[in-house]
Amino acid sequence: MAQFAVIGLGSFGATIATELVKLKHDVLGIDSEKKNVENISENITHAAIADATDEHVLNELNIQNCDAVVVAIGEDIEASILCVLHLKNLGIKKIWAKAKSKAHHMILTHLNVDKIIHPEEDMGIRIAQSLSYPMVSRYMALSDDHYIVKVEIKENLQGLRLHSIMDHVPEVKTILHKREVEISYHPDPNLILQKDDIIIVEGLLEPLRRLSKHFLP
């Protein structure tokens, strides 16, 4: 179990904090708004009404004991930057921060934040990908051009053998097949697909685009 802090408990920060708790981690949530803290206090390990732009306050909360800190302050760019500076001064080794604008992103980059998050932009990209490639249920980017993709088998593919689809684009690898609760890794190419099967594939963006055509009706 790791220990994390999430600073800024709006909808974005609150989601991160509660998900980390579900993953069995210890989470300290911090926000200057009493209402935001009260809304989440029963769902996370610790919650504090505090001003994260005050380094002494952060020190008193023992935030330096955390394995990583997420700065989810979005609207108040000055507060976000001050908070990151204080975390750096306190020796926090891993900092993830939400950026609201390109200017905000640039400043966070100069502060050597480990990861800069653009939640609205990231969600927009995911929605666009799903609309563009209906076969894609979920995906994870390994790099700017390399993805792991979850595909749900539709009725139009029922009865086909796995290789009859995958052989069209051999650069894409099949990692996993799931049918109800049964999971097989690197499944047999002769596997006969059924509706609602799930396969996980991995490859570069352009081969994945070519493969997507073979999943559509």
Side-chain angles (χ1 to χ4, degrees):
M1 181 177 71
Q3 185 171 353
F4 299 103
V6 178
I7 300 173
L9 298 173
S11 58
F12 176 66
T15 299
I16 294 172
T18 52
E19 285 300 312
L20 285 169
V21 169
K22 289 177 183 177
L23 292 168
K24 310 300 182 185
H25 296 298
D26 189 87
V27 178
L28 166 64
I30 303 169
D31 199 292
S32 58
E33 294 289 333
K34 181 180 179 181
K35 179 182 177 182
N36 288 343
V37 175
E38 289 177 343
N39 286 342
I40 200 174
S41 60
E42 294 184 2
N43 299 319
I44 63 175
T45 321
H46 312 283
I49 304 168
D51 180 6
T53 64
D54 187 328
E55 185 174 336
H56 296 293
V57 170
L58 293 174
N59 188 44
E60 288 175 0
L61 290 168
N62 294 317
I63 203 164
Q64 57 270 32
N65 293 331
C66 293
D67 297 286
V69 177
V70 178
V71 180
I73 303 168
E75 298 299 328
D76 191 337
I77 294 175
E78 182 180 344
S80 169
I81 293 166
L82 278 173
C83 181
V84 170
L85 283 170
H86 295 327
L87 293 172
K88 288 283 184 180
N89 288 339
L90 290 168
I92 303 299
K93 294 181 179 178
K94 183 178 286 187
I95 302 171
W96 289 28
K98 174 183 176 181
K100 187 64 178 177
S101 64
K102 289 183 178 178
H104 192 186
H105 181 111
M106 182 175 67
I107 295 168
L108 291 171
T109 299
H110 285 298
L111 293 175
N112 294 318
V113 168
D114 294 275
K115 185 172 179 65
I116 302 171
I117 310 160
H118 294 267
E120 293 86 359
E121 181 179 324
D122 292 345
M123 182 56 71
I125 291 170
R126 289 178 184 274
I127 290 170
Q129 290 281 1
S130 296
L131 288 172
S132 181
Y133 307 109
M135 73 160 197
V136 176
S137 172
R138 298 186 70 178
Y139 71 91
M140 180 177 71
L142 299 177
S143 68
D144 289 342
D145 199 39
H146 197 170
Y147 294 84
I148 291 177
V149 176
K150 174 183 175 184
V151 182
E152 294 180 2
I153 300 301
K154 304 301 182 183
E155 191 171 1
N156 64 298
L157 300 177
Q158 183 164 292
L160 295 180
R161 295 186 185 275
L162 179 61
H163 73 79
S164 69
I165 301 170
M166 301 304 300
D167 283 356
H168 289 288
V169 189
E171 307 98 300
V172 177
K173 305 303 179 187
T174 307
I175 300 173
L176 176 150
H177 169 264
K178 180 175 183 290
R179 178 172 296 160
E180 297 180 350
V181 296
E182 185 177 338
I183 295 174
S184 59
Y185 296 93
H186 305 292
D188 186 336
N190 287 310
L191 173 76
I192 297 175
L193 298 171
Q194 294 183 11
K195 182 177 178 293
D196 298 327
D197 282 0
I198 290 170
I199 61 171
I200 307 294
V201 299
E202 169 265 321
L204 296 175
L205 182 57
E206 185 52 40
L208 285 168
R209 281 177 173 162
R210 285 189 276 117
L211 180 65
S212 69
K213 300 173 185 177
H214 298 281
F215 283 90
L216 300 177

